[in-house]
């Protein structure tokens, strides 16, 4: 079926964009991710659209453009929230927090990480809750609230140590 083929192509383009981002081929990544976004828009596949927007945010972050990274993550957040896709909204909040953390705007970063933590906790999404705590802990440490931050980080380390097979996605972590 034609829709399935387009969604399949979107997924292939998305993963190629991830690969190009991870290998530093940023121009290629942006081109293929823009194609993936156009395809996701044409099919109306909301989760694919949000995932591509989030990857564009990570690409901009990798390129050093934290403003664009924040804009892309915010677009993903607004779309995910409007569709009730809390899992993807939480990831967008983490990405937004990372963009503000990279710009040394710690209070804004903290607010996004706290929102992500709240949603993840309510959804009982343990991995997203752990990522939120890890990032929140890092930003608290940056704000000279080391005891509070280290307590969160210690909770997260226990979580991931208990799940040795769980791989941390470094694009969601910005402890300096």
């Amino acid at each position: 079926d034609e829709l399935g083929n387009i969604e399949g192509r979107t997924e292939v383009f998305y993963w190629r964009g991830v690969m190009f981002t991870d290998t530093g081929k940023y121009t290629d990544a942006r081109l293929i991710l823009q194609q993936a976004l156009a395809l996701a828009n044409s099919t109306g596949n909301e989760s694919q659209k949000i995932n591509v927007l989030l990857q564009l945010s990570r690409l901009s972050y990798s390129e050093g453009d934290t403003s664009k990274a924040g804009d892309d993550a915010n677009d993903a957040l607004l779309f995910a929230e409007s569709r009730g896709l809390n899992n993807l909204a939480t990831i967008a909040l983490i990405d937004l927090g990372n963009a503000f953390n990279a710009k040394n705007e710690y209070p804004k970063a903290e607010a996004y990480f706290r929102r992500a933590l709240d949603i993840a906790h309510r959804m009982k999404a343990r991995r997203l809750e752990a990522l939120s705590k890890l990032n929140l802990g890092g930003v608290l440490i940056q704000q000279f609230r080391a005891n509070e931050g280290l307590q969160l980080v210690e909770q997260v380390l226990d979580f991931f140590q208990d799940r040795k097979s769980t791989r941390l996605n470094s694009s969601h972590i910005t402890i300096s």
Side-chain angles (χ1 to χ4, degrees):
D1 127 284
E2 183 63 27
L3 179 62
N5 286 339
I6 295 172
E7 288 178 336
R9 285 182 37 219
T10 305
E11 200 67 21
V12 169
F13 287 174
Y14 167 80
W15 284 108
R16 288 173 87 188
V18 169
M19 180 196 65
F20 286 141
T21 301
D22 289 349
T23 57
K25 297 177 181 174
Y26 301 139
T27 301
D28 293 335
R30 187 157 304 280
L31 288 172
I32 200 88
L33 288 169
Q34 287 171 338
Q35 289 177 336
L37 184 59
L39 289 173
N41 282 329
S42 75
T43 63
N45 187 314
E46 296 170 346
S47 63
Q48 282 186 328
K49 177 179 179 173
I50 294 165
N51 281 322
V52 173
L53 286 169
L54 290 170
Q55 186 58 36
L56 282 165
S57 173
R58 292 182 199 113
L59 170 61
S60 295
Y61 183 81
S62 295
E63 292 173 318
D65 189 346
T66 55
S67 291
K68 178 79 172 118
D71 291 345
D72 290 335
N74 194 56
D75 289 346
L77 172 63
L78 293 174
F79 191 74
E81 286 181 331
S82 74
R83 301 303 193 268
L85 300 170
N86 292 330
N87 191 45
L88 293 171
T90 303
I91 294 168
L93 286 165
I94 292 169
D95 284 358
L96 269 168
N98 286 333
F100 283 106
N101 193 27
K103 294 191 290 188
N104 299 325
E105 295 183 34
Y106 303 127
K108 287 182 181 178
E110 179 183 348
Y112 283 113
F113 293 143
R114 286 193 186 280
R115 276 183 63 196
L117 179 58
D118 179 59
I119 294 170
H121 181 75
R122 281 188 281 122
M123 289 189 325
K124 296 180 179 14
R126 298 209 43 207
R127 181 180 173 279
L128 290 175
E129 187 174 356
L131 286 171
S132 299
K133 284 182 180 182
L134 182 62
N135 283 285
L136 178 58
V139 82
L140 291 172
I141 291 167
Q142 290 290 345
Q143 296 177 86
F144 305 105
R145 294 158 57 194
N147 288 339
E148 190 180 354
L150 288 173
Q151 184 179 26
L152 288 170
V153 172
E154 286 174 2
Q155 292 172 18
V156 171
L157 293 177
D158 290 342
F159 174 83
F160 284 109
Q161 191 171 30
D162 291 344
R163 288 154 184 78
K164 290 180 175 48
S165 65
T166 302
R167 183 179 71 92
L168 279 174
N169 182 343
S170 62
S171 67
H172 291 130
I173 302 169
T174 59
I175 293 182
S176 307

